[in-house]
């Protein structure tokens, strides 16, 4: 019923349709919060997307740079959603480096198997506050 031209899709709606964010509300918050840059600049959620525009967006610790290859306002299966954009080679390389660094950091500073008990917590607090004096 709702006929729209393929050029008239809002940025927040496109991000949701391309499955970068789970809901349109989250996509809108990310755009408003400056986590999404359209052609190198901050923009508004209502910005109409164009083909071959470059988006830089953050998802958690990852930052992606993608080029828009298709425009859709409907959320489709993941395989179809991936056809809407191409991630740049530099972005892929940078994400892999950051992931490797995060993995190496996790190996050098492992998390304990369990939470400290009451005595261990007291000892930790005593140790942390001993340098304050």
């Amino acid at each position: 019923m709702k006929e729209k031209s393929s050029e008239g899709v809002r940025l927040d709606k496109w991000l949701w349709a391309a499955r970068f964010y789970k809901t349109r509300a989250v996509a809108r918050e990310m755009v408003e919060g400056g986590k999404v840059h359209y052609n190198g600049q901050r923009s508004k959620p209502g910005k109409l997307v164009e083909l071959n525009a470059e988006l830089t967006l953050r998802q958690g610790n990852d930052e992606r740079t993608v080029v828009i290859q298709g425009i859709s306002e409907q959320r489709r299966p993941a395989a179809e959603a991936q056809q809407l954009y191409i991630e740049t080679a530099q972005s892929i390389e940078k994400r892999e480096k950051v992931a490797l660094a995060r993995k190496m950091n996790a190996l050098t500073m492992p998390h304990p198997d369990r939470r400290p008990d009451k005595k261990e917590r007291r000892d930790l607090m005593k140790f942390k506050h001993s340098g304050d004096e």
Side-chain angles (χ1 to χ4, degrees):
M1 223 158 138
K2 202 170 158 184
E3 281 291 321
K4 271 201 169 181
S5 66
S6 62
E7 272 66 62
V9 178
R10 295 167 50 105
L11 178 58
D12 61 343
K13 198 169 197 176
W14 186 88
L15 288 167
W16 167 77
R19 295 183 165 263
F20 285 110
Y21 300 108
K22 194 166 185 134
T23 65
R24 271 188 67 191
V26 171
R28 181 184 183 97
E29 285 175 22
M30 292 300 174
V31 174
E32 287 174 345
K35 305 285 192 253
V36 178
H37 289 232
Y38 185 85
N39 286 334
Q41 297 179 345
R42 284 182 69 163
S43 66
K44 295 182 178 180
K47 170 84 174 153
L48 299 180
V49 296
E50 301 167 347
L51 291 176
N52 299 321
E54 188 175 282
L55 287 175
T56 304
L57 50 110
R58 293 195 59 85
Q59 290 180 297
N61 294 326
D62 292 335
E63 184 172 303
R64 296 173 181 245
T65 303
V66 298
V67 178
I68 297 174
Q69 296 294 307
I71 296 177
S72 174
E73 63 178 18
Q74 290 184 330
R75 192 169 170 98
R76 309 293 299 162
E80 289 180 39
Q82 288 175 346
Q83 304 301 314
L84 297 177
Y85 62 91
I86 294 177
E87 188 170 2
T88 62
Q90 298 92 340
S91 173
I92 294 170
E93 186 179 320
K94 186 176 176 184
R95 276 192 316 114
E96 287 173 352
K97 282 183 183 177
V98 169
L100 181 64
R102 204 170 28 229
K103 189 174 182 182
M104 296 307 288
N105 190 29
L107 292 175
T108 58
M109 297 192 322
H111 290 287
D113 295 334
R114 60 180 179 77
R115 292 177 56 187
D117 61 21
K118 189 171 182 177
K119 183 181 184 317
E120 292 168 339
R121 270 197 309 276
R122 265 190 264 126
D123 292 343
L124 281 170
M125 294 302 287
K126 204 181 300 180
F127 177 73
K128 284 182 181 178
H129 296 295
S130 65
D132 293 344
E133 297 166 3

Coordinates of all heavy atoms in Angstrom, one line a residue, residues 33-106:
G33 N 23.5 10.2 18.7 CA 24.6 10.2 19.6 C 26.0 10.4 18.9 O 27.0 10.4 19.6
G34 N 26.0 10.5 17.6 CA 27.2 10.7 16.9 C 28.0 9.5 16.6 O 29.2 9.5 16.3
K35 N 27.4 8.3 16.8 CA 28.1 7.0 16.6 C 28.1 6.7 15.1 O 28.8 5.7 14.7 CB 27.5 5.9 17.4 CG 27.4 6.2 18.8 CD 28.7 6.0 19.5 CE 28.5 6.0 21.0 NZ 29.0 7.2 21.7
V36 N 27.3 7.3 14.3 CA 27.2 7.1 12.9 C 27.5 8.3 12.1 O 27.0 9.4 12.4 CB 25.7 6.6 12.5 CG1 25.6 6.4 11.0 CG2 25.4 5.3 13.2
H37 N 28.5 8.2 11.2 CA 28.9 9.4 10.3 C 28.5 9.1 8.9 O 28.9 8.0 8.4 CB 30.4 9.7 10.5 CG 30.7 10.2 11.8 ND1 31.4 11.4 12.0 CD2 30.4 9.8 13.1 CE1 31.6 11.7 13.3 NE2 31.0 10.7 14.0
Y38 N 27.9 10.0 8.2 CA 27.4 9.8 6.9 C 28.4 10.7 6.0 O 28.4 11.9 6.2 CB 26.0 10.3 6.7 CG 25.4 10.1 5.4 CD1 24.8 8.9 5.0 CD2 25.3 11.1 4.4 CE1 24.2 8.7 3.8 CE2 24.8 10.9 3.2 CZ 24.2 9.7 2.9 OH 23.7 9.5 1.6
N39 N 29.1 10.1 5.1 CA 30.1 10.8 4.3 C 31.1 11.6 5.2 O 31.4 12.8 4.8 CB 29.5 11.6 3.2 CG 28.9 10.7 2.1 OD1 29.4 9.6 1.9 ND2 27.9 11.2 1.4
G40 N 31.5 11.1 6.3 CA 32.5 11.7 7.2 C 31.9 12.8 8.1 O 32.7 13.4 8.8
Q41 N 30.6 13.0 8.1 CA 30.0 14.0 9.0 C 28.9 13.4 9.8 O 28.2 12.5 9.4 CB 29.4 15.2 8.1 CG 30.5 15.9 7.3 CD 29.9 17.0 6.5 OE1 28.7 17.0 6.3 NE2 30.7 17.9 6.0
R42 N 28.6 14.0 11.0 CA 27.5 13.6 11.8 C 26.2 14.0 11.0 O 26.2 15.0 10.3 CB 27.5 14.3 13.1 CG 28.5 13.8 14.1 CD 28.4 14.5 15.4 NE 27.2 14.2 16.1 CZ 27.0 14.4 17.4 NH1 28.0 14.9 18.1 NH2 25.9 14.1 17.9
S43 N 25.2 13.2 11.2 CA 24.0 13.6 10.5 C 22.8 13.3 11.4 O 22.9 12.8 12.5 CB 23.8 12.9 9.2 OG 23.7 11.5 9.4
K44 N 21.6 13.6 10.9 CA 20.4 13.3 11.6 C 19.7 12.0 11.2 O 20.0 11.6 10.1 CB 19.4 14.5 11.3 CG 19.9 15.8 11.9 CD 18.9 16.9 11.7 CE 19.4 18.2 12.3 NZ 18.4 19.3 12.1
P45 N 18.9 11.4 12.0 CA 18.3 10.1 11.7 C 17.4 10.2 10.4 O 17.2 9.3 9.7 CB 17.4 9.8 12.9 CG 18.0 10.6 14.0 CD 18.6 11.8 13.4
G46 N 16.9 11.4 10.1 CA 16.0 11.6 8.9 C 16.7 11.8 7.6 O 16.1 12.0 6.6
K47 N 18.0 11.8 7.7 CA 18.8 12.0 6.4 C 18.5 10.9 5.4 O 18.5 9.8 5.8 CB 20.3 12.0 6.8 CG 21.3 12.0 5.6 CD 21.5 13.3 5.1 CE 22.6 13.3 4.1 NZ 22.4 14.4 3.2
L48 N 18.2 11.3 4.2 CA 17.9 10.3 3.1 C 19.2 9.8 2.6 O 20.1 10.5 2.2 CB 17.1 11.0 2.0 CG 15.8 11.6 2.4 CD1 15.1 12.2 1.2 CD2 14.9 10.5 3.1
V49 N 19.3 8.4 2.6 CA 20.5 7.8 2.2 C 20.6 7.7 0.6 O 19.6 7.7 0.0 CB 20.7 6.4 2.7 CG1 20.8 6.4 4.2 CG2 19.5 5.5 2.4
E50 N 21.8 7.7 0.1 CA 22.1 7.7 -1.3 C 23.0 6.5 -1.6 O 23.8 6.1 -0.8 CB 22.7 9.0 -1.8 CG 21.8 10.2 -1.6 CD 22.6 11.5 -1.8 OE1 23.8 11.4 -1.9 OE2 21.9 12.5 -1.8
L51 N 23.0 6.0 -2.8 CA 23.9 4.9 -3.2 C 25.3 5.5 -3.2 O 25.6 6.7 -3.5 CB 23.5 4.4 -4.6 CG 22.2 3.6 -4.7 CD1 22.0 3.3 -6.2 CD2 22.3 2.4 -3.9
N52 N 26.3 4.6 -2.9 CA 27.7 4.9 -2.9 C 28.1 5.9 -1.8 O 29.2 6.4 -1.8 CB 28.2 5.4 -4.2 CG 28.0 4.3 -5.3 OD1 28.2 3.1 -5.0 ND2 27.7 4.7 -6.5
A53 N 27.2 6.2 -0.8 CA 27.6 7.0 0.3 C 28.4 6.2 1.3 O 28.2 4.9 1.4 CB 26.3 7.6 1.0
E54 N 29.3 6.8 2.0 CA 30.1 6.1 3.0 C 29.6 6.3 4.4 O 29.4 7.5 4.8 CB 31.6 6.6 2.8 CG 32.5 5.7 3.6 CD 34.0 6.1 3.4 OE1 34.5 5.7 2.4 OE2 34.5 6.9 4.2
L55 N 29.4 5.2 5.1 CA 29.0 5.3 6.5 C 30.1 4.8 7.4 O 30.7 3.7 7.1 CB 27.8 4.4 6.7 CG 26.4 4.9 6.2 CD1 25.4 3.9 6.4 CD2 26.0 6.2 6.8
T56 N 30.3 5.5 8.5 CA 31.2 5.0 9.5 C 30.4 4.8 10.8 O 29.7 5.8 11.2 CB 32.4 6.0 9.8 OG1 33.0 6.2 8.6 CG2 33.4 5.4 10.8
L57 N 30.3 3.6 11.3 CA 29.5 3.4 12.4 C 30.1 2.5 13.5 O 31.0 1.7 13.2 CB 28.1 2.8 12.0 CG 28.2 1.5 11.1 CD1 27.8 0.3 11.8 CD2 27.3 1.8 9.9
R58 N 29.7 2.7 14.7 CA 30.3 2.0 15.8 C 29.2 1.0 16.3 O 28.1 1.3 16.4 CB 30.6 2.9 17.0 CG 31.8 3.8 16.7 CD 32.4 4.4 17.9 NE 32.9 3.5 18.9 CZ 34.1 2.9 18.8 NH1 34.9 3.3 17.9 NH2 34.4 2.1 19.7
Q59 N 29.7 -0.2 16.6 CA 28.9 -1.3 17.2 C 29.7 -1.9 18.3 O 30.6 -2.6 18.1 CB 28.6 -2.4 16.2 CG 27.6 -2.0 15.1 CD 27.3 -3.1 14.1 OE1 28.3 -3.6 13.5 NE2 26.1 -3.5 14.1
G60 N 29.4 -1.4 19.5 CA 30.2 -1.9 20.7 C 31.6 -1.4 20.6 O 31.8 -0.2 20.5
N61 N 32.6 -2.3 20.6 CA 34.0 -1.9 20.4 C 34.4 -1.8 19.0 O 35.5 -1.3 18.7 CB 34.9 -2.9 21.2 CG 34.6 -2.9 22.6 OD1 34.4 -1.9 23.2 ND2 34.8 -4.0 23.3
D62 N 33.6 -2.3 18.1 CA 34.0 -2.3 16.7 C 33.5 -1.0 15.9 O 32.5 -0.5 16.2 CB 33.3 -3.5 15.9 CG 33.9 -4.8 16.4 OD1 35.1 -4.8 16.9 OD2 33.2 -5.8 16.3
E63 N 34.4 -0.6 15.0 CA 34.0 0.5 14.1 C 34.1 0.0 12.7 O 35.1 -0.6 12.3 CB 35.0 1.7 14.4 CG 34.6 2.9 13.5 CD 35.4 4.1 13.9 OE1 35.5 4.5 15.1 OE2 36.1 4.7 13.0
R64 N 33.1 0.2 11.9 CA 33.0 -0.2 10.6 C 32.9 1.0 9.6 O 32.2 1.9 9.9 CB 31.8 -1.1 10.3 CG 31.8 -2.4 11.1 CD 30.4 -3.1 10.9 NE 30.4 -4.3 11.6 CZ 30.3 -5.5 11.0 NH1 30.2 -5.6 9.7 NH2 30.3 -6.6 11.7
T65 N 33.5 0.8 8.4 CA 33.2 1.8 7.4 C 32.7 1.0 6.2 O 33.3 0.0 5.7 CB 34.6 2.4 6.9 OG1 35.1 3.1 8.1 CG2 34.3 3.5 5.9
V66 N 31.4 1.4 5.8 CA 30.8 0.6 4.7 C 30.3 1.6 3.6 O 30.1 2.8 3.9 CB 29.5 -0.1 5.3 CG1 29.9 -1.2 6.3 CG2 28.5 0.8 5.9
V67 N 30.2 1.1 2.4 CA 29.7 1.9 1.3 C 28.3 1.3 0.9 O 28.1 0.1 0.8 CB 30.6 1.8 0.1 CG1 30.1 2.6 -1.1 CG2 32.0 2.3 0.5
I68 N 27.3 2.2 0.8 CA 25.9 1.7 0.5 C 25.8 1.3 -0.9 O 26.2 2.0 -1.8 CB 24.9 2.9 0.8 CG1 25.0 3.3 2.3 CG2 23.5 2.5 0.4 CD1 24.1 4.5 2.6
Q69 N 25.4 0.0 -1.1 CA 25.3 -0.5 -2.4 C 23.8 -0.7 -2.8 O 23.5 -0.9 -4.0 CB 26.0 -1.9 -2.5 CG 27.4 -1.8 -2.3 CD 28.1 -1.1 -3.5 OE1 27.9 -1.4 -4.6 NE2 28.9 -0.1 -3.1
G70 N 22.9 -0.7 -1.9 CA 21.5 -0.9 -2.1 C 20.7 -0.2 -1.1 O 21.2 0.1 0.0
I71 N 19.4 0.1 -1.4 CA 18.6 0.9 -0.5 C 17.3 0.1 -0.3 O 16.7 -0.4 -1.3 CB 18.2 2.3 -1.1 CG1 19.5 3.1 -1.2 CG2 17.2 3.0 -0.2 CD1 19.4 4.4 -1.8
S72 N 17.0 -0.1 1.0 CA 15.8 -0.9 1.3 C 15.2 -0.3 2.6 O 16.0 0.1 3.5 CB 16.1 -2.3 1.5 OG 15.0 -3.0 2.0
E73 N 13.9 -0.3 2.7 CA 13.3 0.2 3.9 C 12.6 -1.0 4.7 O 12.1 -0.8 5.7 CB 12.3 1.3 3.7 CG 11.1 0.9 2.9 CD 10.1 2.1 2.7 OE1 10.5 3.2 2.9 OE2 9.0 1.7 2.4
Q74 N 12.8 -2.2 4.1 CA 12.3 -3.4 4.8 C 13.4 -4.2 5.4 O 14.4 -4.4 4.7 CB 11.5 -4.2 3.8 CG 10.2 -3.6 3.3 CD 9.4 -4.6 2.4 OE1 10.0 -5.4 1.7 NE2 8.1 -4.5 2.5
R75 N 13.2 -4.7 6.6 CA 14.2 -5.6 7.2 C 14.0 -7.0 6.6 O 13.0 -7.6 6.8 CB 14.0 -5.6 8.7 CG 15.1 -6.2 9.5 CD 14.9 -5.9 10.9 NE 15.8 -6.7 11.8 CZ 16.9 -6.2 12.3 NH1 17.2 -5.0 12.0 NH2 17.6 -6.9 13.1
R76 N 15.0 -7.4 5.9 CA 15.0 -8.7 5.2 C 16.0 -9.6 5.9 O 16.7 -9.3 6.9 CB 15.5 -8.5 3.8 CG 14.7 -7.4 3.0 CD 13.3 -7.7 2.7 NE 13.2 -8.9 1.9 CZ 12.1 -9.6 1.8 NH1 11.0 -9.2 2.4 NH2 12.1 -10.7 1.1
P77 N 16.0 -10.9 5.5 CA 17.0 -11.9 6.1 C 18.4 -11.4 6.0 O 18.7 -10.6 5.1 CB 16.8 -13.1 5.3 CG 15.4 -13.0 4.8 CD 15.2 -11.6 4.5
A78 N 19.3 -11.8 6.9 CA 20.7 -11.4 7.0 C 21.4 -11.5 5.6 O 22.1 -10.6 5.3 CB 21.4 -12.1 8.0
A79 N 21.2 -12.6 4.9 CA 21.9 -12.7 3.6 C 21.5 -11.6 2.6 O 22.3 -11.1 1.9 CB 21.5 -14.1 3.0
E80 N 20.2 -11.2 2.6 CA 19.8 -10.2 1.8 C 20.3 -8.8 2.3 O 20.6 -7.9 1.5 CB 18.3 -10.1 1.6 CG 17.7 -11.3 0.8 CD 16.2 -11.3 0.7 OE1 15.6 -10.1 0.6 OE2 15.6 -12.3 0.8
A81 N 20.3 -8.6 3.6 CA 20.7 -7.4 4.2 C 22.2 -7.1 3.9 O 22.6 -5.9 3.7 CB 20.5 -7.4 5.7
Q82 N 23.0 -8.1 3.8 CA 24.4 -7.9 3.5 C 24.7 -7.5 2.1 O 25.7 -6.9 1.8 CB 25.2 -9.2 3.8 CG 25.3 -9.5 5.2 CD 26.0 -10.9 5.5 OE1 26.1 -11.7 4.6 NE2 26.4 -11.1 6.7
Q83 N 23.7 -7.6 1.2 CA 23.8 -7.1 -0.2 C 23.6 -5.6 -0.3 O 23.9 -5.0 -1.3 CB 22.8 -7.8 -1.1 CG 22.8 -9.3 -1.1 CD 24.2 -9.9 -1.5 OE1 24.7 -9.4 -2.5 NE2 24.7 -10.8 -0.8
L84 N 23.1 -5.0 0.8 CA 22.9 -3.6 0.8 C 24.2 -2.7 1.0 O 24.1 -1.5 0.8 CB 21.9 -3.2 1.9 CG 20.5 -3.8 1.8 CD1 19.7 -3.4 3.0 CD2 19.8 -3.3 0.5
Y85 N 25.3 -3.3 1.4 CA 26.5 -2.6 1.7 C 27.7 -3.4 1.4 O 27.7 -4.7 1.3 CB 26.5 -2.1 3.1 CG 26.5 -3.2 4.1 CD1 27.7 -3.7 4.6 CD2 25.3 -3.7 4.6 CE1 27.7 -4.8 5.5 CE2 25.3 -4.7 5.5 CZ 26.5 -5.3 6.0 OH 26.5 -6.3 6.9
I86 N 28.9 -2.8 1.3 CA 30.2 -3.4 1.2 C 31.1 -2.8 2.2 O 31.2 -1.5 2.2 CB 30.8 -3.3 -0.2 CG1 29.9 -4.0 -1.3 CG2 32.2 -3.7 -0.3 CD1 30.4 -3.8 -2.7
E87 N 31.7 -3.6 3.0 CA 32.6 -3.0 4.0 C 34.0 -2.8 3.3 O 34.4 -3.6 2.5 CB 32.8 -4.0 5.2 CG 33.6 -3.4 6.3 CD 33.6 -4.2 7.6 OE1 33.0 -5.3 7.6 OE2 34.2 -3.8 8.6
T88 N 34.6 -1.7 3.6 CA 35.9 -1.3 3.0 C 37.0 -2.2 3.5 O 36.9 -2.7 4.6 CB 36.3 0.1 3.2 OG1 36.4 0.3 4.6 CG2 35.2 1.1 2.6
A89 N 38.0 -2.4 2.7 CA 39.1 -3.3 3.0 C 39.9 -2.8 4.3 O 40.3 -3.6 5.1 CB 40.1 -3.4 1.9
Q90 N 40.0 -1.4 4.3 CA 40.7 -0.9 5.5 C 39.9 -1.1 6.8 O 40.5 -1.4 7.8 CB 40.9 0.7 5.3 CG 41.8 1.1 4.2 CD 40.9 1.3 2.9 OE1 39.8 0.9 2.8 NE2 41.5 2.0 2.0
S91 N 38.6 -1.1 6.7 CA 37.8 -1.3 7.8 C 37.9 -2.7 8.3 O 38.0 -3.0 9.5 CB 36.3 -1.0 7.5 OG 35.5 -1.3 8.5
I92 N 37.9 -3.7 7.4 CA 38.0 -5.1 7.8 C 39.4 -5.3 8.4 O 39.5 -6.0 9.5 CB 37.9 -6.0 6.5 CG1 36.4 -5.9 6.0 CG2 38.2 -7.4 6.9 CD1 36.2 -6.5 4.6
E93 N 40.4 -4.8 7.8 CA 41.8 -5.0 8.4 C 41.9 -4.4 9.8 O 42.4 -5.0 10.7 CB 42.8 -4.3 7.4 CG 44.2 -4.5 7.8 CD 45.2 -3.8 6.8 OE1 44.9 -3.9 5.6 OE2 46.2 -3.2 7.3
K94 N 41.3 -3.2 10.0 CA 41.4 -2.5 11.3 C 40.6 -3.3 12.3 O 41.1 -3.4 13.5 CB 40.8 -1.1 11.1 CG 40.9 -0.2 12.4 CD 40.4 1.2 12.1 CE 40.4 2.0 13.3 NZ 39.9 3.3 13.1
R95 N 39.4 -3.8 12.0 CA 38.6 -4.6 12.9 C 39.3 -5.8 13.3 O 39.3 -6.3 14.5 CB 37.3 -4.9 12.3 CG 36.2 -3.8 12.5 CD 34.8 -4.3 12.2 NE 34.7 -5.1 11.0 CZ 34.3 -6.3 10.9 NH1 34.0 -7.0 12.0 NH2 34.2 -7.0 9.8
E96 N 40.0 -6.5 12.4 CA 40.8 -7.7 12.7 C 41.9 -7.4 13.6 O 42.2 -8.2 14.5 CB 41.3 -8.4 11.4 CG 40.2 -9.0 10.6 CD 40.6 -9.6 9.3 OE1 41.8 -9.3 8.9 OE2 39.8 -10.3 8.6
K97 N 42.6 -6.3 13.4 CA 43.7 -5.9 14.3 C 43.2 -5.7 15.7 O 43.8 -6.1 16.7 CB 44.4 -4.7 13.8 CG 45.4 -4.9 12.7 CD 46.1 -3.6 12.3 CE 47.0 -3.8 11.1 NZ 47.6 -2.6 10.6
V98 N 42.1 -4.9 15.8 CA 41.5 -4.6 17.2 C 41.1 -5.9 17.8 O 41.3 -6.1 19.0 CB 40.4 -3.6 17.0 CG1 39.6 -3.5 18.3 CG2 40.9 -2.3 16.6
A99 N 40.5 -6.8 17.1 CA 40.0 -8.1 17.7 C 41.2 -8.9 18.2 O 41.1 -9.5 19.2 CB 39.2 -8.9 16.6
L100 N 42.3 -8.9 17.4 CA 43.5 -9.7 17.8 C 44.1 -9.1 19.1 O 44.4 -9.8 20.0 CB 44.5 -9.7 16.7 CG 45.8 -10.4 17.0 CD1 45.5 -11.9 17.1 CD2 46.8 -10.3 15.8
A101 N 44.1 -7.7 19.1 CA 44.7 -7.1 20.3 C 43.8 -7.3 21.5 O 44.3 -7.6 22.6 CB 44.7 -5.5 20.1
R102 N 42.5 -7.4 21.3 CA 41.6 -7.7 22.4 C 41.8 -9.1 22.9 O 41.8 -9.4 24.1 CB 40.1 -7.4 22.0 CG 39.2 -7.1 23.1 CD 37.8 -6.7 22.6 NE 37.4 -7.2 21.3 CZ 36.9 -6.4 20.3 NH1 36.8 -5.1 20.5 NH2 36.6 -6.9 19.2
K103 N 42.0 -10.0 22.0 CA 42.2 -11.4 22.3 C 43.5 -11.6 23.1 O 43.6 -12.3 24.1 CB 42.2 -12.2 21.0 CG 42.2 -13.7 21.3 CD 42.0 -14.5 20.0 CE 42.0 -16.0 20.2 NZ 41.9 -16.7 19.0
M104 N 44.5 -10.9 22.6 CA 45.8 -11.0 23.3 C 45.8 -10.4 24.7 O 46.4 -10.9 25.6 CB 46.9 -10.3 22.4 CG 47.2 -10.9 21.1 SD 47.5 -12.7 21.2 CE 49.1 -12.7 21.9
N105 N 45.0 -9.3 24.8 CA 44.9 -8.7 26.1 C 44.1 -9.7 27.1 O 44.4 -9.8 28.3 CB 44.1 -7.4 26.0 CG 44.1 -6.6 27.3 OD1 45.0 -6.7 28.1 ND2 43.1 -5.8 27.5
A106 N 43.1 -10.4 26.6 CA 42.4 -11.3 27.4 C 43.3 -12.5 27.8 O 43.1 -13.0 28.9 CB 41.2 -11.9 26.6

